Amino acid sequence: MKRIAAIALILSAAAPSLASAASFDNRQAIQGERIERGRNNGSITWTEGIKLRAEQNRIARTKTQMEAKGYLTKSDRNTLSEMQQQASQNIRSESRDGWHRLFNLPRVGK
């Protein structure tokens, strides 16, 4: 019985970090889709898309470096959250800045 209680305690302690990792990855995927949607409809230009995707890659690399010790501290999670919030604001501002791909020109780049 003590073994089951110990396992339950360990799993309950690990659950928040697993949930935060899943929400981080979900948010990264949503931001990537927003960038691609903007690229497809022309509201994000090729160079803006490169810059925004580089920012997403930088956030993912930072997360990987932070996870190298085997876990994310609350400070690490806050830092990543702030980085994602800034990236979200950058996507929004780039898609609304008035620079558009001309619709009669083909989409260029990834």
Side-chain angles (χ1 to χ4, degrees):
M1 187 66 177
K2 288 183 182 181
R3 183 177 289 177
I4 293 172
I7 292 172
L9 180 64
I10 291 170
L11 290 177
S12 66
S17 64
L18 294 176
S20 68
S23 66
F24 174 86
D25 294 336
N26 186 37
R27 191 168 180 186
Q28 283 288 99
I30 290 170
Q31 288 180 353
E33 290 170 5
R34 287 175 55 201
I35 294 168
E36 286 308 307
R37 190 170 45 245
R39 288 281 294 123
N40 286 331
N41 68 24
S43 64
I44 294 178
T45 64
W46 181 65
T47 55
E48 291 170 344
I50 289 172
K51 185 171 63 170
L52 294 171
R53 283 191 291 273
E55 184 177 27
Q56 293 297 310
N57 291 337
R58 190 170 40 254
I59 294 169
R61 278 194 314 271
T62 302
K63 179 183 181 241
T64 302
Q65 290 170 352
M66 289 178 173
E67 284 181 330
K69 62 184 173 268
Y71 59 92
L72 289 174
T73 63
K74 187 172 184 174
S75 174
D76 292 343
R77 289 191 300 271
N78 288 340
T79 300
L80 290 171
S81 178
E82 290 170 7
M83 291 175 76
Q84 284 183 325
Q85 182 64 31
Q86 182 62 45
S88 180
Q89 290 173 358
N90 291 342
I91 294 168
R92 181 178 180 177
S93 67
E94 292 295 353
S95 66
R96 296 179 180 198
D97 66 355
W99 288 94
H100 296 283
R101 172 178 46 87
L102 298 175
F103 286 102
N104 57 351
L105 294 176
R107 180 180 167 199
V108 178
K110 291 184 179 183

